């Protein structure tokens, strides 16, 4: 195997496009996700402009949206379309494919000591299916009746009936096709990650010595494999209802002056199926970010991660619980109140492993020797957002309280902070930390700090005030708040939110610049710039097929021997054998 | 204009790139990597983090105080007050945790900011500590869960089973209400009965007769148009319409036949109106239906929300405690109204799908309802 992987001639196409090398595929995922993220972000800024100044016309909206924003005033249907595609892009394309796709691919073989993924070919297929599904999703923006507009959760009947909203015509068809391909891509990827971690670990790399990143990616992949197929099932039944006149979700509908020929279906069935994926999806987004930051926080605290076993336990606990809480999104859907009680109970249980994680992070900082790399800054930011968002989850998970805040801006504030920001911060942290591994160069530190500070201020400024809007009763997915006198005095908050969003949004261009500038012009990286213990830093700076020029290193210890008493250096890489009389952890 | 902006952006990017280049080159001359984190960086960023925690906690407190009056409109229902108590206790609990953990996180970041040469403490685990922070949250949660479930069960399953029955009917993009009349029993309904002024599809004998008369008139009109026209394509279409009408006619007759005489009678005195009136202090059961897609009936003042699902029946029981007049006075706002708004994405006018809710004294309510015409009366 190593001979084949050694030096064989490659041309541009096999190296940069149809590459089967996990490191190149990781970069492909990352660049695609960055592009999607900027598109999704631009959409959110557009609809924030609309909601904060509903009477105003913005020429920029007309420039980008054309007929959909005549005189710079957005059409209500397009507002909903932008919200829908923004949510879809951010959750699935950026934070599922982008995050797992980038870092699972990059790090799994490097950190477990493997020459590549179990199947390089399937890995390539996974990326290209993701690419195709991204393209289809973007094409749907150019459909004349607009893209899917029923919210990222696409509840039927709204998503099933073009009579109800124009986006449920061709736009929705493309959404469904795109998402189906997306799930195939994600499932192939996840299977590959699982198999690789289980089978290709180097000698000595017991599961109990895996870095927490690996544990997080492994469990994420398992959750994905178990839950995404249910989304496909939900989507397929919806496709049947839309085009083959079945009635899985539809019943007794009179629309456009016509009684439709559906009988006996229930939209609540769809809600159950959707959220059976939808809730675990939150953790598919979150766990990789937590995994990355566990590694970064430990390395830059120059201390072992506190409670390694408890961290693994809580990842497993969260993963298990994430499958039995889905109906907390449905407390007021009309389902049995008894179920509401059950799901309140299971939901609030998740707070326990989450609290353990948060405390362990904080304790890891305690008495450390903290190195504030940009990656470390974003990791600390993640701990902060994870705590903030986790706490508001206790309100939403309580069925009695959810009655009043369900589907309000409280929810928008909550999930952006706990899943959006945490995952985005984790992703940034990962990029700053592993950039030298990806490109052999360093990103600029000063720009990194500037990016971090503008981002955390902009982000909290955007999403924190939303909780107050929600408590005041402001519903989400409203195109304008002018129809109700009771919301008139919320305009100030809405304007603050939008201004912060613009600041935070513009700050991302600093990152964009830093990223592309550093790929070409950044200073050359050394082999182990952060003095880290994990195996990826034992590979040469210049990428080679098969990762290590000689034999794969053997592993003798856990990954967190930082500042171990008795050692000269404050780090001992995993491939360094135990000294005589040295105790393994 | 656009060109100018683009040119400016390009210029800015090039400038930054050049500045970076200079930095990096001067770093090379000094023989150090400008991207290494120095003690100076650690010191500065550590202080910034500490400062941030003050800004963060401070603005949280400022927002909460400054916007206090906007939060949670006055709870105007019996269960609403209980929900608000639960909310207050939960908010205090999460507030305390927030105010402890966030400052500690940032303080530790500041306190232990790196210094070259200092060694961190090797501290990998502590079973006792970990046990404590598993058990303490678990205990706190037990309280929250028990209290939450107690409130929830009280709302969803009230002891008193006597309620005024009212139907709230949703469709793109408005609401309609139906009162049960003297018998306090709502008649049955079906979308296939909807037509003319029977906008909710109530099934009663007079509703059926009116529907049949309408359909027959439509069929007669179509037939006449066919007789007068020689356009074969249009006539084929009209034949199709007639076939559809005949089918509807059959459905309407069947629906009436399938309904028990008791249900037919319950429908006789139902009242259909565009405004929701509720007597203060009386328990009311709202029964929700939707004609097209999912909507959600949200009444923030009463802490009431329930989805309206096509093909299904949902409900919410509550007791209003404030009349509109009392609220006008209390809020010092003569324009105050209770509202019911749609809170499930439902299309272009979702943001404006509302209905006025009037809470009044029992006398006022009785007077109002006695002035409304029953559906049967308006059909005849
Ligand atoms: C520039 C940063 C962002 C801003 C300003 C922003 C703003 C918003 C706002 C205001 C809404 C609610 C609109 C409404 O309900 O009317 C929304 C919806 C949403 N956002 Fe974001 N967001 C941002 C980034 C993200 C990220 C990183 C995620 C990833 C989790 C995300 C995921 C979502 C989702 C899932 C929805 C729900 C879409 C729906 O209602 O169907 N957003 N965003
Ligand atoms: Cu959930
Ligand atoms: Cu609606």
């Amino acid at each position: 195997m190593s001979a084949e992987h050694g030096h064989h001639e490659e041309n541009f196409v096999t190296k940069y496009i149809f590459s089967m090398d996990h490191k190149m595929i990781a970069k492909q995922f990352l660049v695609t996700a960055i592009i999607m993220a900027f598109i999704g972000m631009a959409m959110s800024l557009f609809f924030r402009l609309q909601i904060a100044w509903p009477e105003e016309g913005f020429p920029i909206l007309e420039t980008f949206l054309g007929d959909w924003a005549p005189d710079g005033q957005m059409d209500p249907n397009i507002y909903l379309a932008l919200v829908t595609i923004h949510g879809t892009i951010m959750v699935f394309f950026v934070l599922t494919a982008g995050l797992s796709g980038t870092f699972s691919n990059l790090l799994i073989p490097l950190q477990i000591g493997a020459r590549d993924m179990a199947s390089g070919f399937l890995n390539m297929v996974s990326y290209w299916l993701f690419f195709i599904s991204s393209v289809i999703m973007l094409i749907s923006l150019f459909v004349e009746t607009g893209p899917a507009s029923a919210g990222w959760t696409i509840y039927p009947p709204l998503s099933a009936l073009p009579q109800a909203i124009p986006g449920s015509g061709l736009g929705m068809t493309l959404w469904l096709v795109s998402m189906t391909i997306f799930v195939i891509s994600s499932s192939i990827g996840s299977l590959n990650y699982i198999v690789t971690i289980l089978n290709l670990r180097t000698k000595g790399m017991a599961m109990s010595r895996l870095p927490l990143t690996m544990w997080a990616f492994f469990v994420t992949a398992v959750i994905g494999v178990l839950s995404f197929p249910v989304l496909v099932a939900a989507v397929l039944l919806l496709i049947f209802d839309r085009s083959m006149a079945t009635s899985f979700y539809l019943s007794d509908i009179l629309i456009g002056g016509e009684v439709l020929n559906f009988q006996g279906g229930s939209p609540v069935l769809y809600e159950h199926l959707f959220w059976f994926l939808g809730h675990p999806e939150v953790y598919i987004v979150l766990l990789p970010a937590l995994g990355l930051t566990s590694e970064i926080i430990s390395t830059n605290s120059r201390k072992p991660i506190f409670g390694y076993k408890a961290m693994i336990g809580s990842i497993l606990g969260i993963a298990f619980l994430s499958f039995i809480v889905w109906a907390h999104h449905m407390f007021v859907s009309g389902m049995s109140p008894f179920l509401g009680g059950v799901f309140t109970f299971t939901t609030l249980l998740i707070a326990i492993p989450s609290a353990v994680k948060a405390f362990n992070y904080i304790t890891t900082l305690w008495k450390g020797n903290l190195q504030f790399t940009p990656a470390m800054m974003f990791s600390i930011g993640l701990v902060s957002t994870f705590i903030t968002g986790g706490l508001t989850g206790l309100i939403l998970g309580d069925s009695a309280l959810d009655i009043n805040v369900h589907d309000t801006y409280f929810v928008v504030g909550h999930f952006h902070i706990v899943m959006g920001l945490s995952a985005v911060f984790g992703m940034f942290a990962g990029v700053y930390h592993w950039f030298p591994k990806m490109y052999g160069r360093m990103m600029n530190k000063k720009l990194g700090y500037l990016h971090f500070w503008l981002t955390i201020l902009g982000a909290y400024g955007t999403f924190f005030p939303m909780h107050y809007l929600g408590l005041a009763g402001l519903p989400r997915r409203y195109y304008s708040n002018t129809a109700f006198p009771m919301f008139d005095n919320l305009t100030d908050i809405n304007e603050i939110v939008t201004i912060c969003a613009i600041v935070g949004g513009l700050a991302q261009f600093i990152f964009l610049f830093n990223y592309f500038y550093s790929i070409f012009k950044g200073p050359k990286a050394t082999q182990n710039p952060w003095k880290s213990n994990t195996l990826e830093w034992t590979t040469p700076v210049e990428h080679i097929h098969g990762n290590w020029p000689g034999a794969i290193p053997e592993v003798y210890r856990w990954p967190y021997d930082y500042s171990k008493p008795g050692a000269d250096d404050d780090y001992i890489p995993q491939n360094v054998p135990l000294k005589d009389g040295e105790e393994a952890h | 204009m656009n060109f100018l902006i683009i040119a400016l952006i390009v210029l800015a990017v090039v400038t930054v790139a050049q500045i970076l280049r200079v930095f990096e080159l001067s770093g090379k001359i000094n023989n150090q990597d400008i991207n290494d984190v120095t003690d100076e960086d650690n010191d500065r960023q550590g202080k910034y983090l500490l400062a941030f925690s003050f800004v963060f906690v401070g603005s949280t407190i400022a927002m909460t105080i400054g916007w206090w009056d906007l939060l949670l409109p006055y709870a105007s229902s019996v269960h609403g007050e209980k929900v608000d108590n639960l909310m207050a206790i939960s908010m205090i609990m999460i507030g305390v945790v927030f105010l402890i953990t966030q400052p500690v996180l940032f303080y530790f970041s500041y306190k232990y900011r790196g210094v070259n040469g200092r060694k961190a403490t090797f501290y990998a685990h502590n079973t006792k500590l970990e046990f404590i922070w598993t058990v303490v949250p678990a205990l706190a949660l037990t309280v929250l869960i028990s209290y939450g479930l107690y409130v929830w069960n009280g709302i969803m399953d009230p002891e008193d089973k006597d309620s005024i029955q009212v139907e709230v009917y949703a469709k793109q993009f408005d609401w309609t209400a139906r009162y049960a009349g003297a018998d306090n029993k709502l008649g049955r309904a079906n979308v296939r009965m909807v037509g003319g002024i029977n906008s909710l599809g109530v099934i009663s004998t007079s509703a059926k007769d009116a529907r049949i008369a309408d359909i027959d008139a439509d069929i007669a009109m179509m037939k006449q148009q066919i007789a007068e026209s020689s356009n074969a394509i249009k006539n084929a279409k009209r034949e199709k319409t007639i076939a559809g009408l005949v089918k509807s006619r059959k459905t309407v007759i069947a629906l009436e036949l399938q309904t028990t005489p008791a249900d037919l009678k319950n429908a006789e005195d139902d009242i259909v109106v565009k405004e929701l009136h509720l007597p203060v202090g009386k328990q009311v059961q709202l029964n929700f239906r939707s004609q097209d897609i999912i909507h959600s009936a949200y009444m923030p003042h009463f802490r009431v929300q329930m989805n309206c699902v096509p093909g299904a029946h949902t409900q919410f029981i509550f007791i209003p405690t404030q009349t509109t007049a009392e609220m006008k006075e209390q809020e010092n706002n003569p324009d105050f109204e209770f509202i019911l708004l749609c809170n499930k994405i439902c299309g272009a006018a979702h943001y404006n799908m509302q209905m006025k809710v009037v809470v009044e004294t029992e006398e006022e309510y009785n007077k109002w309802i006695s002035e409304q015409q029953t559906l049967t009366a308006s059909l005849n």
Side-chain angles (χ1 to χ4, degrees), chain B residues 170-173 175 293-296 342-347 349-350 353:
Chain B
K171 70 175 211 297
Q172 278 181 334
F173 295 99
W175 301 92
I293 55 184
I294 305 179
H295 302 268
S296 187
C342 180
N343 198 16
K344 185 61 80 190
I345 181 170
C346 67
H350 169 52
M353 178 167 160

Side-chain angles (χ1 to χ4, degrees), chain B residues 44-277:
Chain B
R44 189 177 301 148
Q45 297 302 322
K47 285 176 180 156
Y48 287 170
L49 285 168
L50 185 67
F52 175 76
S53 98
F54 284 106
V55 173
F56 185 32
V57 170
S59 46
T60 303
I61 293 171
M63 284 189 279
T64 309
I65 295 173
W67 295 335
W68 186 260
D69 290 341
L70 302 178
L71 306 183
L72 289 181
Y74 185 81
S76 313
S77 66
V78 172
H79 79 273
E81 288 165 29
K82 296 183 185 148
V83 169
D84 282 11
N85 278 338
L86 176 64
M87 178 68 99
I89 290 180
S90 310
M91 277 290 181
I92 290 171
M93 263 166 115
I94 68 173
V96 168
V97 177
F98 178 83
L99 289 179
I100 294 174
T101 47
Q102 297 284 0
V104 166
L105 169 70
F106 290 108
Y107 176 71
F108 280 3
S109 306
Y110 158 77
K111 176 91 196 289
Y112 302 108
R113 61 196 189 279
V115 176
N116 210 344
R118 190 180 76 205
K119 212 163 181 185
T121 309
F122 189 84
Y123 186 57
H125 65 96
N126 178 332
T127 315
K128 206 164 122 197
L129 212 55
E130 289 170 74
F131 181 74
I132 291 177
W133 61 54
T134 313
V135 171
V136 171
L139 289 179
L141 284 170
T142 313
V143 175
L144 272 190
I145 293 174
S146 319
Y147 188 17
L149 290 185
Y150 168 74
V151 176
W152 169 253
N153 290 334
I155 299 171
M156 289 295 147
D157 188 17
E159 262 162 42
D160 184 0
K161 301 288 175 215
D162 272 347
S163 310
I164 301 173
Q165 297 294 327
V166 183
E167 177 175 80
V168 172
Y169 186 79
K171 70 175 211 297
Q172 278 181 334
F173 295 99
D174 59 26
W175 301 92
T176 313
R178 174 160 64 117
Y179 285 79
D183 57 5
N184 200 28
K185 281 188 184 132
L186 288 162
R188 303 179 57 109
N190 188 298
V191 283
R192 289 163 184 84
M193 270 314 243
V194 172
I197 50 172
N198 186 8
S199 57
L200 305 195
V202 177
I203 308 177
S204 70
T205 308
S206 51
K208 180 209 74 176
D209 291 343
R211 237 354 232 135
I212 298 288
D214 280 352
I215 292 175
D216 286 347
D218 284 350
I219 294 179
M221 190 179 76
M222 282 287 152
K223 285 201 169 142
Q224 192 184 346
Q225 282 178 0
I226 293 176
E228 284 168 5
S229 159
S230 53
N231 185 331
I233 300 174
K234 278 195 177 159
N235 279 346
K237 258 193 192 152
R238 288 178 184 128
E239 292 288 356
K240 242 183 152 174
T241 315
I242 292 179
L245 286 168
V246 170
K247 212 175 136 206
S248 304
R249 197 177 190 282
K250 277 192 195 141
T251 317
V252 167
I253 292 174
L255 276 172
E256 197 241 10
L257 282 176
Q258 286 157 10
T259 309
T260 63
D263 279 331
L264 288 174
K265 190 151 176 304
N266 290 341
E268 296 275 315
D269 58 352
D270 287 2
I271 297 165
V272 176
V273 287
K274 276 295 186 191
E275 227 175 57
L276 191 58
H277 282 243

Side-chain angles (χ1 to χ4, degrees), chain A residues 14 17 71 110 130 195 238 250 294 396 449 462 504 524:
Chain A
T14 56
I17 299 182
D71 299 325
L110 291 176
F130 165 58
V195 172
L238 182 55
L250 309 178
S294 300
L396 291 166
Y449 290 143
T462 306
K524 287 257 189 310

Side-chain angles (χ1 to χ4, degrees), chain A residues 311-335:
Chain A
M311 291 298 244
I312 297 173
S314 56
I315 292 178
L316 293 172
I318 289 176
F320 171 72
L321 288 173
S322 76
F323 279 99
I324 52 169
V325 299
W326 76 89
H328 62 208
H329 299 272
M330 302 166 56
F331 288 138
V332 296
S333 66
M335 80 178 178

Side-chain angles (χ1 to χ4, degrees), chain A residues 275 277-283 322 325-329 347 350 414:
Chain A
W275 287 112
L277 158 87
H279 190 83
E281 169 64 20
V282 174
Y283 292 97
S322 76
V325 299
W326 76 89
H328 62 208
H329 299 272
T347 300
I350 287 207
H414 159 72

Side-chain angles (χ1 to χ4, degrees), chain A residues 57-134:
Chain A
F58 292 94
I60 183 168
L61 294 183
E62 197 169 3
T63 313
F64 280 95
L65 302 174
D67 288 350
W68 288 340
D71 299 325
Q73 284 239 348
M74 202 180 274
D75 174 85
N77 279 323
I78 291 314
Y79 181 90
L80 298 179
L82 290 179
V83 169
T84 303
I85 303 298
H86 158 79
T88 308
I89 285 185
M90 288 299 189
V91 172
F92 293 114
F93 291 79
V94 179
L95 295 179
T96 304
L99 187 53
S100 280
T102 304
F103 290 102
S104 293
N105 272 312
L106 178 72
L107 294 179
I108 289 176
L110 291 176
Q111 287 199 338
I112 66 170
R115 299 245 179 242
D116 204 319
M117 281 288 177
S119 167
F121 175 73
L122 283 185
N123 212 15
M124 176 184 84
V125 172
S126 164
Y127 171 74
W128 283 103
L129 287 179
F130 165 58
F131 182 81
I132 292 170
S133 86
S134 311

